mmCIF file of all heavy atoms in Angstrom:
data_model
loop_
_atom_site.group_PDB
_atom_site.id
_atom_site.type_symbol
_atom_site.label_atom_id
_atom_site.label_comp_id
_atom_site.label_asym_id
_atom_site.label_seq_id
_atom_site.Cartn_x
_atom_site.Cartn_y
_atom_site.Cartn_z
ATOM 1 N N LEU A 1 38.531 164.244 -8.246
ATOM 2 C CA LEU A 1 39.312 163.034 -8.377
ATOM 3 C C LEU A 1 39.158 162.060 -7.198
ATOM 4 O O LEU A 1 39.117 160.847 -7.378
ATOM 5 C CB LEU A 1 40.827 163.358 -8.543
ATOM 6 C CG LEU A 1 41.223 164.129 -9.838
ATOM 7 C CD1 LEU A 1 42.665 164.608 -9.706
ATOM 8 C CD2 LEU A 1 41.082 163.207 -11.050
ATOM 9 N N PHE A 2 39.073 162.612 -5.990
ATOM 10 C CA PHE A 2 39.109 161.776 -4.783
ATOM 11 C C PHE A 2 37.888 161.944 -3.913
ATOM 12 O O PHE A 2 37.857 161.384 -2.785
ATOM 13 C CB PHE A 2 40.364 162.057 -4.018
ATOM 14 C CG PHE A 2 41.627 162.183 -4.830
ATOM 15 C CD1 PHE A 2 42.318 163.406 -4.941
ATOM 16 C CD2 PHE A 2 42.089 161.093 -5.531
ATOM 17 C CE1 PHE A 2 43.461 163.516 -5.718
ATOM 18 C CE2 PHE A 2 43.259 161.196 -6.311
ATOM 19 C CZ PHE A 2 43.951 162.385 -6.414
ATOM 20 N N ASP A 3 36.911 162.769 -4.361
ATOM 21 C CA ASP A 3 35.733 163.043 -3.587
ATOM 22 C C ASP A 3 36.098 163.485 -2.119
ATOM 23 O O ASP A 3 35.535 163.036 -1.155
ATOM 24 C CB ASP A 3 34.788 161.792 -3.541
ATOM 25 C CG ASP A 3 33.408 162.195 -3.042
ATOM 26 O OD1 ASP A 3 33.029 163.364 -3.222
ATOM 27 O OD2 ASP A 3 32.690 161.337 -2.444
ATOM 28 N N HIS A 4 37.110 164.339 -2.087
ATOM 29 C CA HIS A 4 37.637 164.816 -0.781
ATOM 30 C C HIS A 4 37.493 166.329 -0.707
ATOM 31 O O HIS A 4 37.914 167.049 -1.621
ATOM 32 C CB HIS A 4 39.104 164.407 -0.677
ATOM 33 C CG HIS A 4 39.732 164.854 0.633
ATOM 34 N ND1 HIS A 4 39.518 164.220 1.862
ATOM 35 C CD2 HIS A 4 40.591 165.916 0.883
ATOM 36 C CE1 HIS A 4 40.184 164.869 2.777
ATOM 37 N NE2 HIS A 4 40.835 165.899 2.245
ATOM 38 N N GLU A 5 36.935 166.787 0.418
ATOM 39 C CA GLU A 5 36.833 168.214 0.679
ATOM 40 C C GLU A 5 38.145 168.805 1.173
ATOM 41 O O GLU A 5 38.514 168.588 2.332
ATOM 42 C CB GLU A 5 35.705 168.533 1.653
ATOM 43 C CG GLU A 5 34.318 168.133 1.183
ATOM 44 C CD GLU A 5 33.746 169.017 0.080
ATOM 45 O OE1 GLU A 5 34.301 170.107 -0.129
ATOM 46 O OE2 GLU A 5 32.780 168.571 -0.543
ATOM 47 N N LEU A 6 38.821 169.563 0.351
ATOM 48 C CA LEU A 6 40.096 170.229 0.782
ATOM 49 C C LEU A 6 39.829 171.712 0.556
ATOM 50 O O LEU A 6 39.725 172.176 -0.584
ATOM 51 C CB LEU A 6 41.273 169.748 -0.093
ATOM 52 C CG LEU A 6 42.625 170.371 0.228
ATOM 53 C CD1 LEU A 6 43.120 169.914 1.589
ATOM 54 C CD2 LEU A 6 43.682 169.984 -0.861
ATOM 55 N N SER A 7 39.700 172.465 1.636
ATOM 56 C CA SER A 7 39.367 173.890 1.505
ATOM 57 C C SER A 7 40.510 174.667 0.857
ATOM 58 O O SER A 7 41.670 174.263 0.943
ATOM 59 C CB SER A 7 39.029 174.523 2.842
ATOM 60 O OG SER A 7 40.225 174.753 3.575
ATOM 61 N N VAL A 8 40.156 175.763 0.204
ATOM 62 C CA VAL A 8 41.160 176.569 -0.498
ATOM 63 C C VAL A 8 42.257 177.021 0.483
ATOM 64 O O VAL A 8 43.439 177.067 0.173
ATOM 65 C CB VAL A 8 40.491 177.826 -1.179
ATOM 66 C CG1 VAL A 8 41.498 178.783 -1.730
ATOM 67 C CG2 VAL A 8 39.520 177.312 -2.251
ATOM 68 N N ASN A 9 41.832 177.368 1.688
ATOM 69 C CA ASN A 9 42.790 177.820 2.712
ATOM 70 C C ASN A 9 43.764 176.757 3.172
ATOM 71 O O ASN A 9 44.869 177.084 3.655
ATOM 72 C CB ASN A 9 42.034 178.419 3.932
ATOM 73 C CG ASN A 9 41.376 179.712 3.622
ATOM 74 O OD1 ASN A 9 41.757 180.399 2.676
ATOM 75 N ND2 ASN A 9 40.306 180.056 4.351
ATOM 76 N N GLU A 10 43.370 175.528 3.018
ATOM 77 C CA GLU A 10 44.251 174.373 3.456
ATOM 78 C C GLU A 10 45.344 174.089 2.367
ATOM 79 O O GLU A 10 46.339 173.473 2.702
ATOM 80 C CB GLU A 10 43.433 173.082 3.616
ATOM 81 C CG GLU A 10 42.618 173.081 4.902
ATOM 82 C CD GLU A 10 41.793 171.818 5.011
ATOM 83 O OE1 GLU A 10 40.734 171.751 4.392
ATOM 84 O OE2 GLU A 10 42.273 170.846 5.625
ATOM 85 N N VAL A 11 45.132 174.550 1.135
ATOM 86 C CA VAL A 11 46.086 174.297 0.078
ATOM 87 C C VAL A 11 47.286 175.219 0.231
ATOM 88 O O VAL A 11 47.147 176.415 0.293
ATOM 89 C CB VAL A 11 45.412 174.505 -1.268
ATOM 90 C CG1 VAL A 11 46.460 174.304 -2.390
ATOM 91 C CG2 VAL A 11 44.203 173.613 -1.506
ATOM 92 N N ILE A 12 48.448 174.613 0.393
ATOM 93 C CA ILE A 12 49.677 175.395 0.543
ATOM 94 C C ILE A 12 50.538 175.271 -0.684
ATOM 95 O O ILE A 12 50.835 174.181 -1.147
ATOM 96 C CB ILE A 12 50.462 174.919 1.813
ATOM 97 C CG1 ILE A 12 49.627 175.204 3.064
ATOM 98 C CG2 ILE A 12 51.839 175.621 1.941
ATOM 99 C CD1 ILE A 12 50.180 174.514 4.333
ATOM 100 N N LEU A 13 50.892 176.449 -1.234
ATOM 101 C CA LEU A 13 51.765 176.461 -2.421
ATOM 102 C C LEU A 13 53.151 176.991 -2.006
ATOM 103 O O LEU A 13 53.253 177.881 -1.196
ATOM 104 C CB LEU A 13 51.165 177.383 -3.484
ATOM 105 C CG LEU A 13 49.851 176.930 -4.113
ATOM 106 C CD1 LEU A 13 49.310 178.014 -5.055
ATOM 107 C CD2 LEU A 13 50.014 175.602 -4.891
ATOM 108 N N GLN A 14 54.149 176.453 -2.610
ATOM 109 C CA GLN A 14 55.525 176.920 -2.389
ATOM 110 C C GLN A 14 56.106 177.407 -3.681
ATOM 111 O O GLN A 14 55.696 176.978 -4.742
ATOM 112 C CB GLN A 14 56.430 175.763 -1.869
ATOM 113 C CG GLN A 14 55.981 175.124 -0.570
ATOM 114 C CD GLN A 14 56.868 173.939 -0.198
ATOM 115 O OE1 GLN A 14 57.686 173.508 -0.962
ATOM 116 N NE2 GLN A 14 56.575 173.358 0.960
ATOM 117 N N PRO A 15 57.125 178.283 -3.626
ATOM 118 C CA PRO A 15 57.761 178.680 -4.861
ATOM 119 C C PRO A 15 58.535 177.448 -5.429
ATOM 120 O O PRO A 15 59.158 176.706 -4.643
ATOM 121 C CB PRO A 15 58.752 179.755 -4.464
ATOM 122 C CG PRO A 15 58.355 180.186 -3.081
ATOM 123 C CD PRO A 15 57.642 179.027 -2.475
ATOM 124 N N THR A 16 58.499 177.253 -6.722
ATOM 125 C CA THR A 16 59.230 176.161 -7.330
ATOM 126 C C THR A 16 60.722 176.415 -7.289
ATOM 127 O O THR A 16 61.154 177.527 -7.473
ATOM 128 C CB THR A 16 58.798 175.948 -8.814
ATOM 129 O OG1 THR A 16 57.378 175.737 -8.816
ATOM 130 C CG2 THR A 16 59.479 174.784 -9.445
ATOM 131 N N ARG A 17 61.510 175.395 -6.973
ATOM 132 C CA ARG A 17 62.920 175.544 -6.940
ATOM 133 C C ARG A 17 63.460 175.880 -8.307
ATOM 134 O O ARG A 17 62.957 175.404 -9.310
ATOM 135 C CB ARG A 17 63.591 174.230 -6.422
ATOM 136 C CG ARG A 17 63.371 174.046 -4.886
ATOM 137 C CD ARG A 17 63.748 172.681 -4.430
ATOM 138 N NE ARG A 17 65.160 172.402 -4.699
ATOM 139 C CZ ARG A 17 65.773 171.293 -4.241
ATOM 140 N NH1 ARG A 17 65.100 170.383 -3.545
ATOM 141 N NH2 ARG A 17 67.049 171.068 -4.479
ATOM 142 N N LYS A 18 64.513 176.724 -8.333
ATOM 143 C CA LYS A 18 64.994 177.320 -9.587
ATOM 144 C C LYS A 18 65.414 176.257 -10.621
ATOM 145 O O LYS A 18 65.297 176.492 -11.846
ATOM 146 C CB LYS A 18 66.249 178.206 -9.304
ATOM 147 C CG LYS A 18 65.885 179.471 -8.490
ATOM 148 C CD LYS A 18 65.411 180.579 -9.392
ATOM 149 C CE LYS A 18 65.200 181.860 -8.616
ATOM 150 N NZ LYS A 18 64.522 182.895 -9.361
ATOM 151 N N GLU A 19 65.873 175.078 -10.171
ATOM 152 C CA GLU A 19 66.355 174.069 -11.131
ATOM 153 C C GLU A 19 65.244 173.349 -11.870
ATOM 154 O O GLU A 19 65.482 172.541 -12.813
ATOM 155 C CB GLU A 19 67.314 173.117 -10.452
ATOM 156 C CG GLU A 19 66.679 172.289 -9.318
ATOM 157 C CD GLU A 19 66.954 172.917 -7.952
ATOM 158 O OE1 GLU A 19 66.964 174.127 -7.820
ATOM 159 O OE2 GLU A 19 67.123 172.075 -6.993
ATOM 160 N N PHE A 20 63.970 173.581 -11.459
ATOM 161 C CA PHE A 20 62.850 172.885 -12.081
ATOM 162 C C PHE A 20 61.992 173.862 -12.884
ATOM 163 O O PHE A 20 61.952 175.080 -12.518
ATOM 164 C CB PHE A 20 62.006 172.125 -11.111
ATOM 165 C CG PHE A 20 62.779 171.128 -10.284
ATOM 166 C CD1 PHE A 20 62.905 171.195 -8.894
ATOM 167 C CD2 PHE A 20 63.408 170.058 -10.936
ATOM 168 C CE1 PHE A 20 63.665 170.289 -8.188
ATOM 169 C CE2 PHE A 20 64.175 169.116 -10.185
ATOM 170 C CZ PHE A 20 64.268 169.220 -8.824
ATOM 171 N N GLU A 21 61.256 173.397 -13.896
ATOM 172 C CA GLU A 21 60.304 174.195 -14.579
ATOM 173 C C GLU A 21 59.107 174.499 -13.691
ATOM 174 O O GLU A 21 58.682 173.557 -12.993
ATOM 175 C CB GLU A 21 59.860 173.548 -15.880
ATOM 176 C CG GLU A 21 60.925 173.395 -16.974
ATOM 177 C CD GLU A 21 61.331 174.746 -17.485
ATOM 178 O OE1 GLU A 21 60.464 175.603 -17.739
ATOM 179 O OE2 GLU A 21 62.534 174.975 -17.690
ATOM 180 N N GLY A 22 58.541 175.687 -13.786
ATOM 181 C CA GLY A 22 57.342 175.960 -13.002
ATOM 182 C C GLY A 22 57.549 177.194 -12.033
ATOM 183 O O GLY A 22 58.636 177.676 -11.958
ATOM 184 N N THR A 23 56.439 177.602 -11.461
ATOM 185 C CA THR A 23 56.443 178.727 -10.547
ATOM 186 C C THR A 23 55.883 178.372 -9.180
ATOM 187 O O THR A 23 56.462 178.731 -8.192
ATOM 188 C CB THR A 23 55.586 179.884 -11.117
ATOM 189 O OG1 THR A 23 55.926 180.118 -12.464
ATOM 190 C CG2 THR A 23 55.782 181.161 -10.293
ATOM 191 N N TYR A 24 54.811 177.592 -9.185
ATOM 192 C CA TYR A 24 54.230 177.166 -7.925
ATOM 193 C C TYR A 24 54.389 175.662 -7.767
ATOM 194 O O TYR A 24 54.309 174.913 -8.719
ATOM 195 C CB TYR A 24 52.697 177.443 -7.896
ATOM 196 C CG TYR A 24 52.333 178.907 -7.866
ATOM 197 C CD1 TYR A 24 51.876 179.524 -9.058
ATOM 198 C CD2 TYR A 24 52.462 179.707 -6.753
ATOM 199 C CE1 TYR A 24 51.493 180.870 -9.043
ATOM 200 C CE2 TYR A 24 52.129 181.018 -6.743
ATOM 201 C CZ TYR A 24 51.665 181.616 -7.903
ATOM 202 O OH TYR A 24 51.336 182.953 -7.901
ATOM 203 N N THR A 25 54.640 175.248 -6.530
ATOM 204 C CA THR A 25 54.792 173.792 -6.192
ATOM 205 C C THR A 25 53.825 173.382 -5.123
ATOM 206 O O THR A 25 53.658 174.058 -4.118
ATOM 207 C CB THR A 25 56.234 173.515 -5.763
ATOM 208 O OG1 THR A 25 57.142 173.745 -6.854
ATOM 209 C CG2 THR A 25 56.375 172.039 -5.364
ATOM 210 N N PHE A 26 53.116 172.292 -5.438
ATOM 211 C CA PHE A 26 52.213 171.705 -4.420
ATOM 212 C C PHE A 26 52.780 170.370 -3.996
ATOM 213 O O PHE A 26 53.145 169.483 -4.840
ATOM 214 C CB PHE A 26 50.815 171.461 -5.076
ATOM 215 C CG PHE A 26 49.808 170.779 -4.139
ATOM 216 C CD1 PHE A 26 49.321 171.409 -3.022
ATOM 217 C CD2 PHE A 26 49.390 169.490 -4.434
ATOM 218 C CE1 PHE A 26 48.428 170.784 -2.175
ATOM 219 C CE2 PHE A 26 48.493 168.847 -3.589
ATOM 220 C CZ PHE A 26 48.020 169.513 -2.461
ATOM 221 N N VAL A 27 52.929 170.224 -2.685
ATOM 222 C CA VAL A 27 53.565 168.995 -2.120
ATOM 223 C C VAL A 27 52.468 167.948 -1.894
ATOM 224 O O VAL A 27 51.511 168.187 -1.147
ATOM 225 C CB VAL A 27 54.293 169.301 -0.805
ATOM 226 C CG1 VAL A 27 54.999 168.062 -0.286
ATOM 227 C CG2 VAL A 27 55.348 170.445 -0.975
ATOM 228 N N VAL A 28 52.622 166.813 -2.552
ATOM 229 C CA VAL A 28 51.590 165.761 -2.557
ATOM 230 C C VAL A 28 51.652 164.857 -1.330
ATOM 231 O O VAL A 28 50.611 164.351 -0.846
ATOM 232 C CB VAL A 28 51.697 164.917 -3.823
ATOM 233 C CG1 VAL A 28 50.647 163.843 -3.867
ATOM 234 C CG2 VAL A 28 51.588 165.811 -5.061
ATOM 235 N N PHE A 29 52.855 164.723 -0.766
ATOM 236 C CA PHE A 29 53.080 163.736 0.339
ATOM 237 C C PHE A 29 52.008 163.709 1.429
ATOM 238 O O PHE A 29 51.544 162.636 1.825
ATOM 239 C CB PHE A 29 54.446 163.944 0.979
ATOM 240 C CG PHE A 29 55.600 163.612 0.074
ATOM 241 C CD1 PHE A 29 56.419 164.587 -0.390
ATOM 242 C CD2 PHE A 29 55.847 162.291 -0.334
ATOM 243 C CE1 PHE A 29 57.500 164.288 -1.231
ATOM 244 C CE2 PHE A 29 56.898 161.958 -1.176
ATOM 245 C CZ PHE A 29 57.739 163.005 -1.623
ATOM 246 N N PRO A 30 51.611 164.865 1.992
ATOM 247 C CA PRO A 30 50.628 164.834 3.104
ATOM 248 C C PRO A 30 49.270 164.239 2.730
ATOM 249 O O PRO A 30 48.456 163.942 3.630
ATOM 250 C CB PRO A 30 50.496 166.315 3.500
ATOM 251 C CG PRO A 30 51.689 167.011 2.945
ATOM 252 C CD PRO A 30 52.014 166.275 1.659
ATOM 253 N N TYR A 31 48.993 164.061 1.435
ATOM 254 C CA TYR A 31 47.627 163.649 0.992
ATOM 255 C C TYR A 31 47.574 162.241 0.387
ATOM 256 O O TYR A 31 46.575 161.872 -0.244
ATOM 257 C CB TYR A 31 47.083 164.666 0.000
ATOM 258 C CG TYR A 31 47.105 166.098 0.553
ATOM 259 C CD1 TYR A 31 48.132 166.966 0.214
ATOM 260 C CD2 TYR A 31 46.103 166.510 1.436
ATOM 261 C CE1 TYR A 31 48.166 168.278 0.708
ATOM 262 C CE2 TYR A 31 46.147 167.791 1.960
ATOM 263 C CZ TYR A 31 47.167 168.658 1.581
ATOM 264 O OH TYR A 31 47.176 169.955 2.114
ATOM 265 N N LEU A 32 48.634 161.463 0.616
ATOM 266 C CA LEU A 32 48.672 160.139 -0.034
ATOM 267 C C LEU A 32 47.569 159.174 0.504
ATOM 268 O O LEU A 32 47.135 158.317 -0.206
ATOM 269 C CB LEU A 32 50.051 159.500 0.137
ATOM 270 C CG LEU A 32 51.187 160.265 -0.563
ATOM 271 C CD1 LEU A 32 52.550 159.567 -0.299
ATOM 272 C CD2 LEU A 32 50.910 160.387 -2.068
ATOM 273 N N LYS A 33 47.144 159.432 1.773
ATOM 274 C CA LYS A 33 46.042 158.634 2.312
ATOM 275 C C LYS A 33 44.741 158.904 1.551
ATOM 276 O O LYS A 33 43.872 158.073 1.433
ATOM 277 C CB LYS A 33 45.857 158.867 3.806
ATOM 278 C CG LYS A 33 46.869 158.195 4.661
ATOM 279 C CD LYS A 33 46.590 158.403 6.137
ATOM 280 C CE LYS A 33 47.649 157.699 7.020
ATOM 281 N NZ LYS A 33 47.437 158.030 8.422
ATOM 282 N N VAL A 34 44.635 160.155 1.087
ATOM 283 C CA VAL A 34 43.431 160.559 0.326
ATOM 284 C C VAL A 34 43.523 160.069 -1.109
ATOM 285 O O VAL A 34 42.585 159.494 -1.636
ATOM 286 C CB VAL A 34 43.292 162.091 0.335
ATOM 287 C CG1 VAL A 34 42.129 162.565 -0.577
ATOM 288 C CG2 VAL A 34 43.081 162.620 1.774
ATOM 289 N N THR A 35 44.703 160.233 -1.718
ATOM 290 C CA THR A 35 44.846 159.883 -3.158
ATOM 291 C C THR A 35 44.984 158.354 -3.400
ATOM 292 O O THR A 35 44.737 157.852 -4.453
ATOM 293 C CB THR A 35 46.092 160.539 -3.781
ATOM 294 O OG1 THR A 35 47.284 160.052 -3.135
ATOM 295 C CG2 THR A 35 46.032 162.054 -3.603
ATOM 296 N N LYS A 36 45.440 157.647 -2.299
ATOM 297 C CA LYS A 36 45.616 156.211 -2.337
ATOM 298 C C LYS A 36 46.521 155.769 -3.479
ATOM 299 O O LYS A 36 46.340 154.724 -4.089
ATOM 300 C CB LYS A 36 44.258 155.453 -2.440
ATOM 301 C CG LYS A 36 43.377 155.685 -1.205
ATOM 302 C CD LYS A 36 42.088 154.933 -1.269
ATOM 303 C CE LYS A 36 41.339 154.958 0.050
ATOM 304 N NZ LYS A 36 41.019 156.295 0.564
ATOM 305 N N GLY A 37 47.501 156.627 -3.767
ATOM 306 C CA GLY A 37 48.479 156.268 -4.796
ATOM 307 C C GLY A 37 49.886 156.646 -4.316
ATOM 308 O O GLY A 37 50.033 157.170 -3.216
ATOM 309 N N ASN A 38 50.912 156.397 -5.113
ATOM 310 C CA ASN A 38 52.240 156.783 -4.727
ATOM 311 C C ASN A 38 52.461 158.271 -5.106
ATOM 312 O O ASN A 38 51.631 158.850 -5.815
ATOM 313 C CB ASN A 38 53.307 155.896 -5.350
ATOM 314 C CG ASN A 38 53.366 155.982 -6.857
ATOM 315 O OD1 ASN A 38 53.242 157.117 -7.433
ATOM 316 N ND2 ASN A 38 53.454 154.880 -7.540
#
C-alpha cells in the first residue's frame, strides 16, 4: 500500500480491548507519516 519496508519484528500487536470485536489490535498512529492519511 505504501511502498514502505516495515519488518515483521517491528510490527507490534496488542490484545483487543474486551468491549470491541477482535483479538489483535494494531495501533496506526505511529505510522501516519508513512500512510499520509488520518
Side-chain angles (χ1 to χ4, degrees):
L1 294 169
F2 315 115
D3 195 27
H4 179 78
E5 296 288 344
L6 181 66
S7 76
V8 173
N9 290 336
E10 285 178 277
V11 178
I12 296 169
L13 295 174
Q14 299 175 354
T16 303
R17 287 168 60 173
K18 293 277 185 190
E19 61 264 35
F20 302 119
E21 291 294 318
T23 311
Y24 294 105
T25 295
F26 176 67
V27 183
V28 180
F29 292 112
Y31 304 100
L32 296 180
K33 283 184 181 174
V34 173
T35 65
K36 296 184 170 56
N38 63 43

